[in-house]
Amino acid sequence: MKLELVHCERLSPELFERHPVWAEYYEPDDEHRMVEDGFDRAEVQRELKRVKYSDDYLIPFINYDKPSPYEFTIYKASATVNDSKVLFATLFVMENTVNSVTIFVGNEQFVLNLTDSDFSEEKELCAALEVKSIFSLTVRSDKGIEFNERFESGA
């Protein structure tokens, strides 16, 4: 498989149709992880050099049936708002712990920090969806990590 490094600003539902799990390049050891995941070492080195070893790039994580060896991994998911609106979402995972969910509405992204009692962009998400509340909110992973949580409120 050809290695594809994608700038984090290109995070989109279409990206997750190509690969359901992506990791952020973070440290030099990630080069070795990419090779272990099945990419050619010469190609990995060439691509990392091309992007100047920037941590602004995402790496497809191919063997997502195993726990991610990367510091930061993003998984394809879905979010159901008000038990009725199903939206494309992603889960941001740090050290194999879900930290936040990003919900996509059109071209906009709304990040809800799941480790904080105050869902940071909840009001903006409500406005974009033209709803008074996003609750009940259910977030489910599609691939690679087990996550199926229901939130009755942000608190």
Side-chain angles (χ1 to χ4, degrees):
M1 169 178 285
K2 181 169 173 29
L3 176 62
E4 174 184 22
L5 297 182
V6 176
H7 197 279
C8 61
E9 289 180 356
R10 291 188 44 217
L11 195 67
S12 69
E14 294 78 24
L15 184 65
F16 286 86
E17 292 305 317
R18 293 199 306 265
H19 298 287
V21 182
W22 292 79
E24 289 185 10
Y25 177 79
Y26 180 67
E27 61 184 357
D29 285 345
D30 286 343
E31 178 182 326
H32 179 67
R33 292 177 182 109
M34 293 162 73
V35 172
E36 284 182 339
D37 202 30
F39 294 107
D40 176 71
R41 183 172 301 280
E43 183 179 26
V44 167
Q45 291 172 338
R46 184 174 54 252
E47 285 299 296
L48 288 174
K49 185 176 181 181
R50 179 182 64 81
V51 299
K52 299 179 174 76
Y53 297 87
S54 170
D55 58 3
D56 288 336
Y57 284 83
L58 302 173
I59 307 155
F61 180 47
I62 306 303
N63 295 310
Y64 50 80
D65 55 332
K66 301 176 186 175
S68 175
Y70 295 96
E71 182 80 20
F72 308 109
T73 308
I74 306 168
Y75 295 86
K76 181 180 178 184
S78 64
T80 305
V81 174
N82 289 326
D83 292 323
S84 61
K85 293 184 181 191
V86 179
L87 303 166
F88 180 84
T90 60
L91 295 170
F92 182 75
V93 176
M94 293 173 49
E95 299 176 345
N96 290 307
T97 301
V98 176
N99 180 274
S100 65
V101 60
T102 299
I103 298 175
F104 291 72
V105 179
N107 293 328
E108 293 184 86
Q109 301 175 30
F110 301 90
V111 178
L112 303 178
N113 184 342
L114 301 179
T115 63
D116 189 353
S117 62
D118 177 26
F119 281 7
S120 50
E121 295 185 4
E122 177 185 347
K123 289 179 181 145
E124 294 87 349
L125 178 56
C126 285
L129 293 172
E130 298 178 349
V131 297
K132 291 182 182 180
S133 173
I134 60 170
F135 301 105
S136 294
L137 171 68
T138 302
V139 180
R140 289 186 183 92
S141 61
D142 285 0
K143 301 279 184 185
I145 193 169
E146 292 293 322
F147 191 84
N148 184 3
E149 296 289 329
R150 182 178 175 91
F151 303 91
E152 297 300 329
S153 71

